[in-house]
Amino acid sequence: MPFIEAQSLCKEYSGKQVLKDINFKVQNGEIFVLVGPNGAGKTTLLRILDLLEEPSSGTVLFDGTQMNYHSAKHQLVLRRRIGMVFQQTVLFNMSVFDNVAYGLKVRGENDKSAKQRVRETLELVQLHGFEQKNALALSGGEAQRVALAQALVIEPELLLLDEPTANLDPRNVSIVEEALSRVNREKKTTMIMATHNMLQAEN
């Protein structure tokens, strides 16, 4: 059984069709890449998978269960299993450590366990030593790595990535790609990534 399955997904905004009859299956532990130019509907599709938008028609199955866009309880349960990294980073005006720990606090993780997981995740994205820096004072590449750490620290079963390395320099691109490869390899995290970069898709 596929881990994620889209069936005849369509999305319209005020009469304009953004997605038309989208069908795909993603197996557990797979890295699935959506390649297309800006404006092709990649972000819209990811937002539907993250329950931030409702499709105009069609169905999404998550681990065999149909996604319900009208039940707040259902959405909360599913969102706890999904991490999302947006193209535009949105960080809180507080330390890097507190930004990354936020998702664990919301989930009621105990302090000792949360600290350990935050430390390990910051090492994974090569931000060890940045714990007490204000997240809003970081460079673009560092900020994107904090956003990635926020998504990874909750150990999601599904990680959605919207152009995660757009506008980053080669060093930051390679750190992000290596972190994603390692998480997929070691934790078998299923990933769906949108990119316009064919080379990155092949990698």
Side-chain angles (χ1 to χ4, degrees):
M1 182 178 66
F3 190 57
I4 302 293
E5 183 172 1
Q7 300 173 339
S8 305
L9 278 189
C10 296
K11 180 64 180 177
E12 287 186 8
Y13 293 110
S14 20
K16 184 184 176 214
Q17 197 155 44
V18 182
L19 298 173
K20 182 181 179 183
D21 199 27
I22 303 293
N23 296 276
F24 62 84
K25 296 176 183 179
V26 183
Q27 302 304 323
N28 199 2
E30 184 178 358
I31 298 178
F32 187 86
V33 186
L34 305 162
V35 184
N38 292 336
K42 302 185 302 294
T43 298
T44 300
L45 180 53
L46 289 179
R47 288 177 62 85
I48 288 171
L49 296 175
D50 198 33
L51 296 125
L52 294 171
E53 303 222 14
E54 184 181 352
S56 304
S57 62
T59 303
V60 180
L61 299 174
F62 182 107
D63 202 11
T65 301
Q66 185 173 334
M67 282 189 169
N68 182 335
Y69 293 85
H70 302 285
S71 161
K73 185 180 177 185
H74 174 84
Q75 289 187 29
L76 185 64
V77 169
L78 277 195
R79 280 235 178 88
R80 285 175 173 257
R81 302 172 67 184
I82 301 171
M84 172 103 177
V85 179
F86 297 93
Q87 188 173 348
Q88 302 295 328
T89 52
V90 182
L91 301 177
F92 301 114
N93 183 16
M94 51 194 189
S95 73
V96 167
F97 183 94
D98 287 340
N99 265 276
V100 178
Y102 181 78
L104 296 175
K105 280 188 176 163
V106 169
R107 286 163 171 75
E109 186 87 22
N110 78 61
D111 272 0
K112 189 177 177 186
S113 165
K115 279 180 182 167
Q116 179 65 20
R117 276 169 68 175
V118 171
R119 271 197 298 270
E120 287 171 1
T121 308
L122 286 174
E123 280 187 17
L124 176 69
V125 297
Q126 297 185 34
L127 285 174
H128 177 66
F130 281 67
E131 289 82 354
Q132 298 316 313
K133 289 194 175 186
N134 186 301
L136 300 188
L138 300 175
S139 72
E142 290 162 352
Q144 186 67 329
R145 280 148 59 197
V146 172
L148 178 58
Q150 283 178 321
L152 291 176
V153 76
I154 61 167
E155 298 183 344
E157 294 170 57
L158 173 65
L159 182 61
L160 304 170
L161 302 142
D162 188 10
E163 301 271 7
T165 59
N167 310 318
L168 299 190
D169 62 87
R171 179 175 175 269
N172 278 296
V173 169
S174 110
I175 291 170
V176 168
E177 288 182 350
E178 172 53 36
L180 292 174
S181 294
R182 192 172 148 196
V183 167
N184 175 259
R185 195 170 58 243
E186 294 178 2
K187 299 191 186 297
K188 304 289 183 277
T189 306
T190 305
M191 298 180 187
I192 300 178
M193 179 169 78
T195 181
H196 63 270
N197 183 333
M198 187 64 84
L199 183 64
Q200 181 174 62
E202 287 174 358
N203 287 340

